[in-house]
Amino acid sequence: LVAIPVMMLTTALFLWSSKCLLESWKVESDRVNGDGRRRSNSDRKKHRRKRIVLSYPELAYRAFGSSGERLVQVGISLMQSGVCLTYLIFVPQNLRSSAALLLGWDISTNWTLALMVAVQVPLSWIRDIRRLTVTNLLANALILYGLVTCLGFAMDEMGAKDGE
């Protein structure tokens, strides 16, 4: 009874804050990179300069100063650390359950955790995120496979209940 209105409220707040963030980014980007007017090709070649990309910490700095920038940097770091820790807890447990159910293997969660760390630590050394395009594509494909599988199981379960 409470979950759906709360979900709708959080979605509305998310969409509103995203809109505000995008508008702020547009205003600051236009201020830093020029006035945002369209120019002809010949005019663009004359006035070619490197565009400055604004990050979340940079926007926070422009809005709230160095304390805002630091707060955003800490928030991003904590969020990313939480996501990583969540994966390091749940993925080995899920792999153990899946291997037991599908293959009959009893795999240690410590072993799968060590394997994950051995793969993820070298990936974290890559400084340019564009080099991770292949791994991101693989991750997106696996996420899509998982979602479709869950949806298939849910629909199969619904069909089984309707048939009773």
Side-chain angles (χ1 to χ4, degrees):
L1 186 65
V2 175
I4 292 178
V6 169
M7 187 173 64
M8 291 171 61
L9 176 67
T10 56
T11 301
L13 287 172
F14 168 76
L15 292 173
W16 176 75
S17 62
S18 296
K19 179 182 171 286
C20 291
L21 181 64
L22 288 173
E23 287 174 356
S24 300
W25 180 83
K26 175 82 169 105
V27 167
E28 285 299 316
S29 183
D30 286 347
R31 187 177 348 179
V32 169
N33 294 311
D35 57 7
R37 289 182 292 158
R38 293 191 172 260
R39 294 188 169 108
S40 67
N41 282 338
S42 61
D43 205 23
R44 246 185 256 140
K45 288 177 185 174
K46 289 179 198 173
H47 300 289
R48 186 176 302 258
R49 64 181 181 166
K50 187 173 181 172
R51 291 187 57 85
I52 298 171
V53 178
L54 296 175
S55 63
Y56 290 127
E58 179 64 23
L59 279 174
Y61 175 78
R62 290 169 187 261
F64 303 109
S66 59
S67 60
E69 178 184 31
R70 180 63 57 198
L71 183 66
V72 168
Q73 288 173 337
V74 168
I76 290 172
S77 298
L78 289 174
M79 185 183 68
Q80 292 298 324
S81 297
V83 168
C84 289
L85 289 174
T86 302
Y87 276 111
L88 291 176
I89 291 169
F90 289 112
V91 169
Q93 291 175 349
N94 289 341
L95 283 174
R96 181 178 187 180
S97 298
S98 297
L101 288 172
L102 297 173
L103 304 172
W105 297 350
D106 185 24
I107 299 174
S108 168
T109 54
N110 292 336
W111 183 83
T112 55
L113 179 63
L115 182 64
M116 285 177 60
V117 169
V119 170
Q120 290 177 356
V121 167
L123 285 174
S124 72
W125 295 335
I126 298 173
R127 302 294 286 167
D128 187 4
I129 199 167
R130 289 175 290 192
R131 295 180 185 213
L132 295 173
T133 304
V134 173
T135 56
N136 287 342
L137 183 62
L138 175 64
N140 287 336
L142 291 172
I143 289 169
L144 180 62
Y145 173 75
L147 290 172
V148 168
T149 302
C150 288
L151 186 62
F153 282 136
M155 293 175 85
D156 186 48
E157 187 71 25
M158 287 171 42
K161 286 185 180 182
D162 286 343
E164 291 178 358

